Amino acid sequence: MPATPAPAEFPEDLALGIPELDDQHKTLFAVLDRILAVSRDPYRQLDDDGTNAVLDIMTDLKDAAMQHFDQEETLMGQRDYPALDDQQEAHERFLDDLVRIEADLMNGTAVPPVRLHADLADQLAAHVREMDRELAQFLNKSEK
């Protein structure tokens, strides 16, 4: 049996220093990590039970992401964050990707859990590093 890949535990370099946002990001990564646990071999195509489990995880991920995005966008609106529109577009793209992945899984498209996990973890990490870090810097400056 191949070694199970390491989970995408919340990388400390993604910490923004804003506890509410950091906690929400940690939750998103924790949901993502559940993808690796649904198959005996995360490098192989899922069976029907595994696919159903991943679909459940995708629903949980979508729910957690929508809640996070809503809170984050509310905060941005309250502080007149100039890149709010860009953030909203990025959030919509992420949610659209989740819906597309769900559709692919329901249609039998073979995506090994390890690839699905890595792709989503990379996408989420890039968003936090690129867009949310700028948001955190803005929020920290506006509090002074």
Side-chain angles (χ1 to χ4, degrees), residues 4 16 33 54 68 76 86 92 97 141:
T4 301
L16 302 174
D33 286 347
V54 169
H68 167 63
M76 287 185 260
D86 294 337
E92 288 175 26
D97 284 348
K141 283 182 185 176

Side-chain angles (χ1 to χ4, degrees), residues 4 32-40 42 57 113:
T4 301
L32 271 177
D33 286 347
R34 291 174 32 210
I35 292 172
L36 295 176
V38 299
S39 174
R40 288 186 196 160
I57 294 165

Side-chain angles (χ1 to χ4, degrees), residues 30-70:
V31 173
L32 271 177
D33 286 347
R34 291 174 32 210
I35 292 172
L36 295 176
V38 299
S39 174
R40 288 186 196 160
D41 184 351
Y43 295 93
R44 295 190 182 266
Q45 180 179 351
L46 294 165
D47 59 16
D48 288 344
D49 289 339
T51 297
N52 290 333
V54 169
L55 287 169
D56 289 342
I57 294 165
M58 295 300 292
T59 297
D60 292 347
L61 181 60
K62 195 168 33 171
D63 290 346
M66 288 189 310
Q67 181 179 10
H68 167 63
F69 295 157
D70 182 57

Side-chain angles (χ1 to χ4, degrees), residues 76-77 79-87 134-135 138-139 142:
M76 287 185 260
R79 300 283 184 88
D80 294 321
Y81 183 57
L84 173 60
D85 291 343
D86 294 337
Q87 281 272 6
E134 288 180 19
L135 169 62
F138 174 85
L139 293 173
S142 69

Side-chain angles (χ1 to χ4, degrees), residues 55-128:
L55 287 169
D56 289 342
I57 294 165
M58 295 300 292
T59 297
D60 292 347
L61 181 60
K62 195 168 33 171
D63 290 346
M66 288 189 310
Q67 181 179 10
H68 167 63
F69 295 157
D70 182 57
Q71 290 175 1
E72 196 174 66
E73 290 170 10
T74 297
L75 179 61
M76 287 185 260
Q78 291 169 344
R79 300 283 184 88
D80 294 321
Y81 183 57
L84 173 60
D85 291 343
D86 294 337
Q87 281 272 6
Q88 287 173 320
E89 288 176 18
H91 294 164
E92 288 175 26
R93 278 193 308 273
F94 185 77
L95 292 171
D96 288 347
D97 284 348
L98 296 181
V99 169
R100 179 191 47 76
I101 291 166
E102 285 177 321
D104 287 348
L105 287 166
M106 286 188 274
N107 290 324
T109 302
V111 178
V114 69
R115 183 171 142 224
L116 175 61
H117 175 268
D119 289 349
L120 289 171
D122 288 349
Q123 186 177 354
L124 183 58
H127 176 80
V128 173

